[in-house]
Amino acid sequence: MTGKLDDRITFLGRKLGVFLLTVWTSATLIFIIPRLAPGDPIAAMIARMSQQSGYVENADKIIEGWRERFGLNDPPSIQYVRYLGNLFHFDLGYSMASFPATVSVMIGRALPWTVGLSLVSILATFLIGNFVGALLAWQKTPRWIKLCIPPTMIFTSIPGMLAAVALLYIFSFQLHRWLGLSAPLFPLRGAYGRGLEPGVSWPFILSVIHHGILPVTSIVLVRFGYWALGMRGMMITVEGEDYMHLARAKGLRPFYILYHYMIRNAILPQITGLALSLGTMVGGQVLVEIIFSYPGMGTLIYTAVRNQDFPVIQGATFIIIVGTATAVLLIDLLYPLIDPRISHQGK
Amino acid sequence: MNTKVSQPSPTTNLLEVKDLRVYYETPGGDILAVDSIDFELKEGETLGLVGESGCGKSTAAMGILQLVQPPGRIVSGEVRLQGKDLLTLSEGKMRQLRWSKLALIPQGAMNSLNPTMRIYRQIQDVILTHQTTGSDKLSADQIKNRILELLRMVGLPERIYQMYPHELSGGMKQRVCIAMAIALNPSLIIADESTSALDVVVQRVVAQTILRVKQMLGVSMIIIGHDMGLMAQIVDRIAVMYAGKIVEIAAVRDIFNNPSHPYTQLLIESIPSLKEQKPLKVTEGLTHDPRHPPPGCIFQLRCPIVTDQCRSIAPKAHLIRVEQSVACHAYENTDVARTV
């Protein structure tokens, strides 16, 4: 037993090591890359200010003051050490564009929306896609289902943002007019109704769901086809396995075979795919968020890039990478539960 | 070897296969994998089905089990198990019959167990599906004891119960399959090349397990394989298949002492011997295209004693001895009167 426990600790240690290495490498890259890009964020800000108000007095002094404040005059090595130190306790600095808001607070406000939206849409896509794929491959699926499913995969070849715009146009602009209703079926923008206080109350929760339906649908429509096709391929491979042959010979019920013998085995590679897409959870829906003016990470990053708001870009990117690495770590740890052949023993 | 084989059988037939044809559809025409085979199996008897790779022995087994997968299909025939024709049963009826009457020890033992299920669950699911509702329903404890008993019967330790297939060796997996096959006390077990993928020592262990189980339960078996040495020790009668047809059926002793069909003779001669180094007999000629069998005898292209008659007329089965029937023109005049 102790041997097994040791193995598990080694396994855990190795996975954590890889996790920390990933985070450190990405933190370093995030530090280097913006500093290689042309343009000075403070000069850009001053330029924007002077565009708006015509002339900025003592521009040089202001720039110098800000550079001092953000520590941009120190040698890069000191900046780097300070940067890592700050990251360590999640101090991501101040936003340049909306000073004095701190980056942590801004991310803290945006992150839950994105995680909620992504989690729901990724899981829905995964479940629907794999279910459809399994039905496509199963020998006992009624023929009409097999005929009806493939046309819906047309959406797979449409870019996500187009699907989002189309949904928005139909369900928020047009449909209620055709139907003679006064209000749009689904709201145009935002994550919850105006005037509602965020909190655990029914009106707020219902409003969030109402606002989330279109964004989630646009993501699901575009993505489920990939899962379905992958699942179908895996199901066909499983269909030819020897244990399927034995399962049929055993006279098990068709649904039992479908679930415990086919789907259970065909889903394994799909789970790896799920892990990868859960990795994109934090930062994957930028365009959809912008189209629906959803107050999540995507919109945050988009605004930050437009404003050359380095601390926000850095902070958001860092959080996205930490999120991805965490998702991969979790899936690595959970995978042995799903596929017993992958164990915690080091090999 | 059993004594009841050499006597004209008083026992009833458990299984009767008549004119079974299983074809595989290909773009170039149907492959006649099993082309009209007839045989019967008595209560408690063990029949060996031998022949070279691709001769249709496994397909014949799948035909009996109603497990022919597309592009294969059963074209015609009768498979009567205890008088009931399996080919006419509905899918639901057939499903109930599977395993409770008709079990399979599969070919590829290495991959025949579901990798994501523990051993006990794979034995348990077959017990559960075939449990008829009512008084004979087993409790969870009874099922567990039954599974442990089955594992003991095939010589596996109890710890196997909780394990996953990938934690077992090939021989252990094969014995799990045997334990599974006897779980419901079936009347017929078909062992489809159950020892092929194993090394000789493990082959022996598995074969002994099969033999022991058979003696304990008195179950009828069809054993498919090409290891003649192994067959000699396990089976009562042997049916030799070539290109989708049974060319000879006889008691195991007669097959070895008096192989009569030219193909059977070739098969027996090619068994390696430890005592002498005999030159390997080169098999002349190729098997015909299975989509277009030649008119006449199917073995004509490889037969050493082929005549003109063989090229035009298909030979009938001649009963040359009690319980030895040979499909070859060479025995036309030695036909003993059918006593059946």
Tab-separated table of all heavy atoms in Angstrom, chain B residues 135-170:
chain	number	residue	atom	x	y	z
B	135	SER	N	-38.979	-15.234	-8.333
B	135	SER	CA	-38.411	-15.821	-7.121
B	135	SER	C	-36.934	-16.143	-7.266
B	135	SER	O	-36.188	-16.090	-6.304
B	135	SER	CB	-39.191	-17.083	-6.775
B	135	SER	OG	-39.231	-17.939	-7.896
B	136	ASP	N	-36.486	-16.490	-8.494
B	136	ASP	CA	-35.094	-16.932	-8.596
B	136	ASP	C	-34.105	-15.772	-8.730
B	136	ASP	O	-32.967	-15.957	-9.118
B	136	ASP	CB	-34.925	-17.909	-9.760
B	136	ASP	CG	-35.431	-17.343	-11.067
B	136	ASP	OD1	-34.863	-16.344	-11.541
B	136	ASP	OD2	-36.401	-17.891	-11.601
B	137	LYS	N	-34.560	-14.586	-8.395
B	137	LYS	CA	-33.674	-13.430	-8.443
B	137	LYS	C	-32.628	-13.546	-7.335
B	137	LYS	O	-32.944	-13.798	-6.181
B	137	LYS	CB	-34.470	-12.139	-8.255
B	137	LYS	CG	-33.938	-11.024	-9.114
B	137	LYS	CD	-34.939	-9.912	-9.274
B	137	LYS	CE	-34.528	-9.068	-10.458
B	137	LYS	NZ	-35.506	-8.097	-10.812
B	138	LEU	N	-31.361	-13.358	-7.718
B	138	LEU	CA	-30.300	-13.500	-6.737
B	138	LEU	C	-30.066	-12.180	-6.011
B	138	LEU	O	-30.223	-11.112	-6.587
B	138	LEU	CB	-29.004	-13.930	-7.431
B	138	LEU	CG	-29.026	-15.291	-8.138
B	138	LEU	CD1	-27.735	-15.495	-8.893
B	138	LEU	CD2	-29.222	-16.396	-7.127
B	139	SER	N	-29.687	-12.268	-4.749
B	139	SER	CA	-29.333	-11.062	-4.012
B	139	SER	C	-27.908	-10.662	-4.401
B	139	SER	O	-27.185	-11.434	-5.022
B	139	SER	CB	-29.402	-11.321	-2.520
B	139	SER	OG	-28.368	-12.209	-2.171
B	140	ALA	N	-27.534	-9.452	-4.027
B	140	ALA	CA	-26.200	-8.954	-4.365
B	140	ALA	C	-25.124	-9.891	-3.811
B	140	ALA	O	-24.129	-10.168	-4.479
B	140	ALA	CB	-26.027	-7.540	-3.820
B	141	ASP	N	-25.347	-10.373	-2.595
B	141	ASP	CA	-24.376	-11.286	-1.978
B	141	ASP	C	-24.270	-12.594	-2.734
B	141	ASP	O	-23.191	-13.129	-2.961
B	141	ASP	CB	-24.786	-11.581	-0.526
B	141	ASP	CG	-24.111	-10.616	0.429
B	141	ASP	OD1	-23.351	-9.752	-0.075
B	141	ASP	OD2	-24.354	-10.714	1.633
B	142	GLN	N	-25.445	-13.099	-3.140
B	142	GLN	CA	-25.447	-14.367	-3.873
B	142	GLN	C	-24.710	-14.224	-5.200
B	142	GLN	O	-23.985	-15.126	-5.602
B	142	GLN	CB	-26.888	-14.815	-4.122
B	142	GLN	CG	-27.555	-15.401	-2.885
B	142	GLN	CD	-29.021	-15.663	-3.115
B	142	GLN	OE1	-29.736	-14.793	-3.611
B	142	GLN	NE2	-29.473	-16.858	-2.772
B	143	ILE	N	-24.927	-13.073	-5.843
B	143	ILE	CA	-24.245	-12.857	-7.123
B	143	ILE	C	-22.748	-12.800	-6.904
B	143	ILE	O	-21.962	-13.401	-7.634
B	143	ILE	CB	-24.762	-11.571	-7.804
B	143	ILE	CG1	-26.195	-11.777	-8.266
B	143	ILE	CG2	-23.886	-11.194	-8.974
B	143	ILE	CD1	-26.820	-10.576	-8.908
B	144	LYS	N	-22.335	-12.096	-5.845
B	144	LYS	CA	-20.908	-11.992	-5.568
B	144	LYS	C	-20.313	-13.378	-5.319
B	144	LYS	O	-19.261	-13.726	-5.860
B	144	LYS	CB	-20.669	-11.091	-4.358
B	144	LYS	CG	-19.204	-10.954	-4.045
B	144	LYS	CD	-18.882	-9.950	-2.981
B	144	LYS	CE	-17.365	-9.919	-2.824
B	144	LYS	NZ	-16.892	-8.971	-1.853
B	145	ASN	N	-21.019	-14.179	-4.520
B	145	ASN	CA	-20.518	-15.523	-4.229
B	145	ASN	C	-20.450	-16.367	-5.490
B	145	ASN	O	-19.516	-17.136	-5.682
B	145	ASN	CB	-21.411	-16.212	-3.188
B	145	ASN	CG	-21.175	-15.627	-1.815
B	145	ASN	OD1	-20.086	-15.098	-1.549
B	145	ASN	ND2	-22.177	-15.690	-0.965
B	146	ARG	N	-21.451	-16.200	-6.333
B	146	ARG	CA	-21.478	-16.951	-7.578
B	146	ARG	C	-20.266	-16.582	-8.439
B	146	ARG	O	-19.597	-17.447	-9.002
B	146	ARG	CB	-22.784	-16.649	-8.325
B	146	ARG	CG	-22.897	-17.210	-9.716
B	146	ARG	CD	-23.029	-18.709	-9.708
B	146	ARG	NE	-23.164	-19.236	-11.059
B	146	ARG	CZ	-22.641	-20.396	-11.457
B	146	ARG	NH1	-21.961	-21.141	-10.612
B	146	ARG	NH2	-22.809	-20.808	-12.696
B	147	ILE	N	-19.976	-15.271	-8.542
B	147	ILE	CA	-18.848	-14.839	-9.367
B	147	ILE	C	-17.531	-15.374	-8.801
B	147	ILE	O	-16.679	-15.885	-9.532
B	147	ILE	CB	-18.818	-13.301	-9.480
B	147	ILE	CG1	-20.031	-12.811	-10.261
B	147	ILE	CG2	-17.549	-12.827	-10.164
B	147	ILE	CD1	-20.241	-11.317	-10.213
B	148	LEU	N	-17.409	-15.322	-7.454
B	148	LEU	CA	-16.188	-15.843	-6.842
B	148	LEU	C	-16.063	-17.353	-7.088
B	148	LEU	O	-14.976	-17.862	-7.354
B	148	LEU	CB	-16.185	-15.546	-5.343
B	148	LEU	CG	-15.994	-14.061	-4.995
B	148	LEU	CD1	-16.149	-13.834	-3.509
B	148	LEU	CD2	-14.641	-13.567	-5.484
B	149	GLU	N	-17.211	-18.036	-7.046
B	149	GLU	CA	-17.204	-19.464	-7.309
B	149	GLU	C	-16.747	-19.748	-8.739
B	149	GLU	O	-15.935	-20.647	-8.992
B	149	GLU	CB	-18.621	-20.022	-7.074
B	149	GLU	CG	-18.745	-21.520	-7.235
B	149	GLU	CD	-20.204	-21.959	-7.350
B	149	GLU	OE1	-21.106	-21.135	-7.041
B	149	GLU	OE2	-20.446	-23.096	-7.763
B	150	LEU	N	-17.264	-18.938	-9.679
B	150	LEU	CA	-16.883	-19.108	-11.082
B	150	LEU	C	-15.387	-18.904	-11.251
B	150	LEU	O	-14.718	-19.654	-11.957
B	150	LEU	CB	-17.656	-18.118	-11.962
B	150	LEU	CG	-19.138	-18.394	-12.158
B	150	LEU	CD1	-19.816	-17.193	-12.776
B	150	LEU	CD2	-19.329	-19.629	-13.029
B	151	LEU	N	-14.861	-17.865	-10.593
B	151	LEU	CA	-13.430	-17.594	-10.718
B	151	LEU	C	-12.616	-18.760	-10.156
B	151	LEU	O	-11.610	-19.157	-10.739
B	151	LEU	CB	-13.068	-16.294	-9.979
B	151	LEU	CG	-13.624	-15.003	-10.597
B	151	LEU	CD1	-13.243	-13.798	-9.762
B	151	LEU	CD2	-13.108	-14.820	-12.018
B	152	ARG	N	-13.086	-19.325	-9.026
B	152	ARG	CA	-12.391	-20.486	-8.462
B	152	ARG	C	-12.424	-21.659	-9.431
B	152	ARG	O	-11.438	-22.380	-9.589
B	152	ARG	CB	-13.037	-20.893	-7.138
B	152	ARG	CG	-12.418	-20.233	-5.910
B	152	ARG	CD	-12.828	-20.961	-4.649
B	152	ARG	NE	-14.262	-21.091	-4.498
B	152	ARG	CZ	-15.047	-20.128	-3.997
B	152	ARG	NH1	-14.521	-18.982	-3.617
B	152	ARG	NH2	-16.344	-20.305	-3.899
B	153	MET	N	-13.565	-21.839	-10.089
B	153	MET	CA	-13.706	-22.979	-10.998
B	153	MET	C	-12.693	-22.932	-12.137
B	153	MET	O	-12.284	-23.968	-12.640
B	153	MET	CB	-15.123	-23.008	-11.594
B	153	MET	CG	-16.157	-23.608	-10.656
B	153	MET	SD	-17.822	-23.319	-11.274
B	153	MET	CE	-18.008	-24.699	-12.388
B	154	VAL	N	-12.317	-21.748	-12.570
B	154	VAL	CA	-11.337	-21.664	-13.652
B	154	VAL	C	-9.939	-21.413	-13.094
B	154	VAL	O	-9.020	-21.080	-13.836
B	154	VAL	CB	-11.701	-20.566	-14.677
B	154	VAL	CG1	-13.000	-20.903	-15.368
B	154	VAL	CG2	-11.792	-19.213	-14.001
B	155	GLY	N	-9.787	-21.567	-11.794
B	155	GLY	CA	-8.466	-21.479	-11.193
B	155	GLY	C	-7.900	-20.076	-11.084
B	155	GLY	O	-6.695	-19.887	-11.189
B	156	LEU	N	-8.770	-19.107	-10.891
B	156	LEU	CA	-8.279	-17.731	-10.721
B	156	LEU	C	-8.426	-17.325	-9.252
B	156	LEU	O	-9.392	-17.705	-8.594
B	156	LEU	CB	-9.075	-16.765	-11.601
B	156	LEU	CG	-8.797	-16.817	-13.100
B	156	LEU	CD1	-9.792	-15.957	-13.851
B	156	LEU	CD2	-7.381	-16.364	-13.404
B	157	PRO	N	-7.474	-16.530	-8.743
B	157	PRO	CA	-7.567	-16.077	-7.357
B	157	PRO	C	-8.687	-15.049	-7.179
B	157	PRO	O	-9.096	-14.392	-8.137
B	157	PRO	CB	-6.209	-15.434	-7.100
B	157	PRO	CG	-5.711	-15.038	-8.445
B	157	PRO	CD	-6.253	-16.043	-9.405
B	158	GLU	N	-9.152	-14.913	-5.947
B	158	GLU	CA	-10.289	-14.034	-5.689
B	158	GLU	C	-9.994	-12.570	-5.950
B	158	GLU	O	-10.886	-11.784	-6.219
B	158	GLU	CB	-10.754	-14.192	-4.234
B	158	GLU	CG	-11.496	-15.488	-3.988
B	158	GLU	CD	-12.224	-15.481	-2.657
B	158	GLU	OE1	-12.073	-14.499	-1.912
B	158	GLU	OE2	-12.943	-16.457	-2.382
B	159	ARG	N	-8.702	-12.214	-5.864
B	159	ARG	CA	-8.391	-10.786	-6.020
B	159	ARG	C	-8.725	-10.274	-7.424
B	159	ARG	O	-8.868	-9.081	-7.646
B	159	ARG	CB	-6.931	-10.498	-5.662
B	159	ARG	CG	-5.943	-11.161	-6.579
B	159	ARG	CD	-4.519	-11.097	-6.038
B	159	ARG	NE	-3.715	-12.130	-6.643
B	159	ARG	CZ	-3.123	-11.981	-7.833
B	159	ARG	NH1	-3.235	-10.856	-8.482
B	159	ARG	NH2	-2.422	-12.973	-8.347
B	160	ILE	N	-8.834	-11.199	-8.398
B	160	ILE	CA	-9.208	-10.826	-9.761
B	160	ILE	C	-10.525	-10.056	-9.780
B	160	ILE	O	-10.737	-9.169	-10.591
B	160	ILE	CB	-9.387	-12.104	-10.617
B	160	ILE	CG1	-8.090	-12.872	-10.681
B	160	ILE	CG2	-9.886	-11.792	-12.011
B	160	ILE	CD1	-7.024	-12.150	-11.401
B	161	TYR	N	-11.397	-10.424	-8.857
B	161	TYR	CA	-12.758	-9.885	-8.781
B	161	TYR	C	-12.816	-8.381	-8.994
B	161	TYR	O	-13.618	-7.871	-9.768
B	161	TYR	CB	-13.333	-10.258	-7.409
B	161	TYR	CG	-14.762	-9.893	-7.164
B	161	TYR	CD1	-15.798	-10.688	-7.609
B	161	TYR	CD2	-15.079	-8.724	-6.464
B	161	TYR	CE1	-17.116	-10.360	-7.369
B	161	TYR	CE2	-16.398	-8.389	-6.215
B	161	TYR	CZ	-17.408	-9.211	-6.664
B	161	TYR	OH	-18.706	-8.869	-6.426
B	162	GLN	N	-11.936	-7.675	-8.293
B	162	GLN	CA	-11.982	-6.205	-8.309
B	162	GLN	C	-11.137	-5.606	-9.423
B	162	GLN	O	-11.092	-4.403	-9.576
B	162	GLN	CB	-11.447	-5.669	-6.975
B	162	GLN	CG	-12.474	-5.598	-5.877
B	162	GLN	CD	-13.457	-4.471	-6.100
B	162	GLN	OE1	-13.210	-3.565	-6.889
B	162	GLN	NE2	-14.589	-4.519	-5.424
B	163	MET	N	-10.422	-6.432	-10.173
B	163	MET	CA	-9.405	-5.873	-11.075
B	163	MET	C	-9.994	-5.433	-12.413
B	163	MET	O	-11.104	-5.775	-12.777
B	163	MET	CB	-8.318	-6.914	-11.319
B	163	MET	CG	-7.389	-7.070	-10.143
B	163	MET	SD	-6.010	-8.122	-10.616
B	163	MET	CE	-4.961	-7.906	-9.191
B	164	TYR	N	-9.175	-4.671	-13.113
B	164	TYR	CA	-9.504	-4.286	-14.480
B	164	TYR	C	-8.773	-5.219	-15.449
B	164	TYR	O	-7.704	-5.736	-15.111
B	164	TYR	CB	-9.057	-2.844	-14.736
B	164	TYR	CG	-10.002	-1.816	-14.169
B	164	TYR	CD1	-9.673	-1.103	-13.023
B	164	TYR	CD2	-11.222	-1.569	-14.771
B	164	TYR	CE1	-10.532	-0.153	-12.500
B	164	TYR	CE2	-12.089	-0.629	-14.266
B	164	TYR	CZ	-11.748	0.074	-13.125
B	164	TYR	OH	-12.602	1.006	-12.624
B	165	PRO	N	-9.322	-5.395	-16.657
B	165	PRO	CA	-8.706	-6.329	-17.608
B	165	PRO	C	-7.221	-6.054	-17.859
B	165	PRO	O	-6.451	-6.997	-17.997
B	165	PRO	CB	-9.513	-6.102	-18.884
B	165	PRO	CG	-10.838	-5.655	-18.428
B	165	PRO	CD	-10.596	-4.884	-17.161
B	166	HIS	N	-6.825	-4.784	-17.897
B	166	HIS	CA	-5.426	-4.530	-18.257
B	166	HIS	C	-4.463	-4.970	-17.165
B	166	HIS	O	-3.266	-4.999	-17.372
B	166	HIS	CB	-5.219	-3.050	-18.579
B	166	HIS	CG	-5.277	-2.157	-17.373
B	166	HIS	ND1	-6.469	-1.706	-16.860
B	166	HIS	CD2	-4.317	-1.672	-16.560
B	166	HIS	CE1	-6.227	-0.958	-15.799
B	166	HIS	NE2	-4.936	-0.917	-15.589
B	167	GLU	N	-5.012	-5.318	-15.994
B	167	GLU	CA	-4.138	-5.770	-14.914
B	167	GLU	C	-3.903	-7.281	-14.953
B	167	GLU	O	-3.202	-7.815	-14.117
B	167	GLU	CB	-4.743	-5.372	-13.558
B	167	GLU	CG	-4.813	-3.869	-13.374
B	167	GLU	CD	-5.623	-3.457	-12.152
B	167	GLU	OE1	-6.823	-3.767	-12.092
B	167	GLU	OE2	-5.035	-2.827	-11.263
B	168	LEU	N	-4.522	-7.959	-15.935
B	168	LEU	CA	-4.404	-9.418	-16.019
B	168	LEU	C	-3.524	-9.816	-17.195
B	168	LEU	O	-3.390	-9.084	-18.170
B	168	LEU	CB	-5.791	-10.047	-16.220
B	168	LEU	CG	-6.898	-9.644	-15.251
B	168	LEU	CD1	-8.143	-10.445	-15.567
B	168	LEU	CD2	-6.471	-9.863	-13.832
B	169	SER	N	-2.971	-11.032	-17.107
B	169	SER	CA	-2.212	-11.561	-18.241
B	169	SER	C	-3.193	-12.146	-19.254
B	169	SER	O	-4.379	-12.309	-18.973
B	169	SER	CB	-1.269	-12.651	-17.753
B	169	SER	OG	-2.015	-13.801	-17.406
B	170	GLY	N	-2.651	-12.476	-20.436
B	170	GLY	CA	-3.504	-13.016	-21.490
B	170	GLY	C	-4.219	-14.288	-21.063
B	170	GLY	O	-5.414	-14.462	-21.289
